[in-house]
Amino acid sequence: MNQQEQLHPKQSAASTTSLRPTLLCLSHLRWGFVYQRPQHVMSRLARDYDVLFFEEPIFEGRQTAHLEHYGVAEGVTVLVPRLPKGLDEAQVIDAQRELLDAWLAQHWPSELMLWYLTPMSQVFTDHLEANVVIFDCMDELSAFKFAPPALVEMERRLMAKANVVFTGGYSLWEAKRQHHDNVHAMPSSVDVAHFAAARQPIPDPADQAAIAHPRLGFFGVIDERFDIDLVRELATQRPEWQIVLIGPVVKIDPDTLPRSPNIHYLGAKQYEELPAYLAGWDVALMPFALNESTRFISPTKTPEYLAGGCPVVSTPIRDVVNGYGGSGVVAIADSPQAFIEAIQAALDLRTQPGVIAQYADKALDGMSWDKTCAMMKEQIECQR
């Protein structure tokens, strides 16, 4: 069977071809890592498309490669290549291509669309013929720690091939629109109803219940974007303030993180658990370092904190400043002392009933993942 026949076999009575288009999402993030933009978008697009979420390989001791598959939401199937240890780069690429081709040949999609979260996935998908190619440029991945050296060139190739490009924020849109004539800013949004539960009394989770107030909280990935020195200084200067940090530690040495009696690392939590923790915080923090990896970020947690009715203090991340700096409920601080003053002002604001909710609701007016995904779908349909 030649490659074209393998990928597009003739339909027959025994065909399992879906009448819905297949959207193959090629991801550098795992579905079960942190529930964020990819999960929100794919679970909603699955209302109209059959979504395949193809993750990076897992290497193990077995001798043969196989493709693990399991459902995670209605219309969403996760595909995980499990490969033998010891393969060289070319063998890893070939193995992923073969596993993916075999899956597509078996399931016979009537129409294939490609959604790239990482340009690096082109190395094993560049032979696929798709009706639409989408590049969802969430972040400037080349600026992240341990980014592959080839990423910049692979992104250039993807920009030349993509029919439509989405960006995770406006600053990133300003950068990418110079390289493609169909780029759309699709900033990370929020499931308001999910986080609004934090505005109501919720029992404190067991690992947070004993922590005193005032509580300053953060949830998200703790990596090279996290300003370790700022958090250390904050904890030192205000030992009566309790800092609650939720999320996995990746790409940095955990031993470099500040340790203090008033800093509480609670580890990673499920998306469903976050409102219960947020409900017990007095102020939400976004202590991002100002470096290349944060130059274009548009943090999802900003609207999530606000939906939960919690005032926010952030370092001057450009998209946060432009999007929320004038909201009255998101303070921007560019030094440890300014951060402390802004936190105190936020604590004072909490003594005024209804003010935070009023400001937060105004800042979130009209914002939802449903709306963002509807706009994405409209752009995709224009290309079909």
Side-chain angles (χ1 to χ4, degrees), residues 4-61:
Q4 191 66 23
E5 290 173 333
Q6 187 179 33
L7 296 182
H8 303 285
K10 294 180 180 179
Q11 295 184 20
S12 67
S15 170
T16 57
T17 302
S18 171
L19 297 178
R20 303 201 315 166
T22 292
L23 181 63
L24 173 59
C25 178
L26 300 143
S27 178
H28 59 295
L29 300 169
R30 302 206 179 277
W31 186 275
F33 177 52
V34 173
Y35 201 93
Q36 50 188 314
R37 180 187 180 96
Q39 292 88 341
H40 280 293
V41 171
M42 290 301 134
S43 61
R44 285 166 174 79
L45 292 181
R47 298 166 185 168
D48 300 288
Y49 312 128
D50 289 332
V51 174
L52 301 176
F53 192 84
F54 196 93
E55 296 185 352
E56 291 188 334
I58 292 176
F59 298 93
E60 52 194 11

Side-chain angles (χ1 to χ4, degrees), residues 37 41-42 45 115-117 132-139 159 162-169 172-173 176 180 182-187 372-381 383:
R37 180 187 180 96
V41 171
M42 290 301 134
L45 292 181
W115 181 295
Y116 287 93
L117 289 173
V132 185
V133 176
I134 305 113
F135 178 25
D136 187 12
C137 187
M138 290 173 50
D139 296 293
M159 291 289 257
N163 300 107
V164 60
V165 177
F166 302 134
T167 64
L172 198 52
W173 170 76
K176 299 306 177 185
H180 199 282
N182 193 26
V183 182
H184 302 269
M186 297 288 178
T372 298
C373 291
M375 292 189 294
M376 287 177 162
K377 187 193 169 201
E378 181 179 358
Q379 292 301 325
I380 294 170
E381 292 299 309
Q383 302 298 322

Side-chain angles (χ1 to χ4, degrees), residues 187-242:
S188 292
S189 194
V190 61
D191 183 342
V192 172
H194 179 74
F195 286 96
R199 300 190 183 193
Q200 306 301 320
I202 303 178
D204 231 349
D207 56 352
Q208 182 172 270
I211 299 174
H213 287 266
R215 294 178 188 158
L216 319 176
F218 168 91
F219 56 65
V221 180
I222 300 173
D223 57 15
E224 75 270 27
R225 296 170 293 178
F226 195 76
D227 193 332
I228 293 173
D229 293 334
L230 173 59
V231 173
R232 179 183 292 110
E233 189 68 18
L234 179 59
T236 300
Q237 292 197 32
R238 289 293 186 272
E240 73 279 15
W241 290 353
Q242 306 301 312

Side-chain angles (χ1 to χ4, degrees), residues 17-313:
T17 302
S18 171
L19 297 178
R20 303 201 315 166
T22 292
L23 181 63
L24 173 59
C25 178
L26 300 143
S27 178
H28 59 295
L29 300 169
R30 302 206 179 277
W31 186 275
F33 177 52
V34 173
Y35 201 93
Q36 50 188 314
R37 180 187 180 96
Q39 292 88 341
H40 280 293
V41 171
M42 290 301 134
S43 61
R44 285 166 174 79
L45 292 181
R47 298 166 185 168
D48 300 288
Y49 312 128
D50 289 332
V51 174
L52 301 176
F53 192 84
F54 196 93
E55 296 185 352
E56 291 188 334
I58 292 176
F59 298 93
E60 52 194 11
R62 69 175 62 233
Q63 296 301 308
T64 58
H66 77 285
L67 192 63
E68 179 184 7
H69 59 91
Y70 55 92
V72 289
E74 185 69 29
V76 181
T77 300
V78 172
L79 302 177
V80 187
R82 289 188 171 269
L83 308 182
K85 292 180 180 178
L87 299 183
D88 61 30
E89 183 178 356
Q91 290 173 319
V92 171
I93 293 171
D94 289 344
Q96 290 179 90
R97 182 185 293 114
E98 291 170 6
L99 290 171
L100 180 55
D101 285 357
W103 177 276
L104 294 176
Q106 180 181 357
H107 293 83
W108 303 351
S110 59
E111 179 183 348
L112 181 65
M113 300 185 293
L114 298 177
W115 181 295
Y116 287 93
L117 289 173
T118 169
M120 297 304 296
S121 296
Q122 291 175 100
V123 294
F124 60 90
T125 59
D126 57 0
H127 64 295
L128 296 178
E129 295 184 10
N131 281 29
V132 185
V133 176
I134 305 113
F135 178 25
D136 187 12
C137 187
M138 290 173 50
D139 296 293
E140 185 59 81
L141 295 180
S142 62
F144 282 23
K145 202 169 186 177
F146 308 129
L151 199 149
V152 172
E153 172 59 21
M154 295 302 290
E155 180 176 301
R156 186 193 66 79
R157 294 184 190 179
L158 181 54
M159 291 289 257
K161 181 170 65 174
N163 300 107
V164 60
V165 177
F166 302 134
T167 64
Y170 289 102
S171 59
L172 198 52
W173 170 76
E174 290 175 346
K176 299 306 177 185
R177 66 175 175 163
Q178 310 298 324
H179 307 289
H180 199 282
D181 60 5
N182 193 26
V183 182
H184 302 269
M186 297 288 178
S188 292
S189 194
V190 61
D191 183 342
V192 172
H194 179 74
F195 286 96
R199 300 190 183 193
Q200 306 301 320
I202 303 178
D204 231 349
D207 56 352
Q208 182 172 270
I211 299 174
H213 287 266
R215 294 178 188 158
L216 319 176
F218 168 91
F219 56 65
V221 180
I222 300 173
D223 57 15
E224 75 270 27
R225 296 170 293 178
F226 195 76
D227 193 332
I228 293 173
D229 293 334
L230 173 59
V231 173
R232 179 183 292 110
E233 189 68 18
L234 179 59
T236 300
Q237 292 197 32
R238 289 293 186 272
E240 73 279 15
W241 290 353
Q242 306 301 312
I243 302 173
V244 178
L245 303 176
I246 291 174
V249 178
V250 301
K251 294 192 289 185
I252 60 173
D253 183 354
D255 291 339
T256 65
L257 295 174
R259 304 289 171 176
S260 174
N262 62 331
I263 301 179
H264 310 271
Y265 295 94
L266 303 188
K269 305 297 177 184
Q270 295 299 310
Y271 179 72
E272 292 75 17
E273 300 177 276
L274 296 180
Y277 286 91
L278 180 56
W281 297 351
D282 300 292
V283 179
L285 305 181
M286 297 206 301
F288 289 110
L290 300 181
N291 55 35
E292 281 301 306
S293 67
T294 62
R295 181 181 175 190
F296 296 110
I297 64 171
S298 181
T300 309
K301 59 184 58 58
T302 317
E304 292 175 344
Y305 290 156
L306 295 181
C310 199
V312 181
V313 178

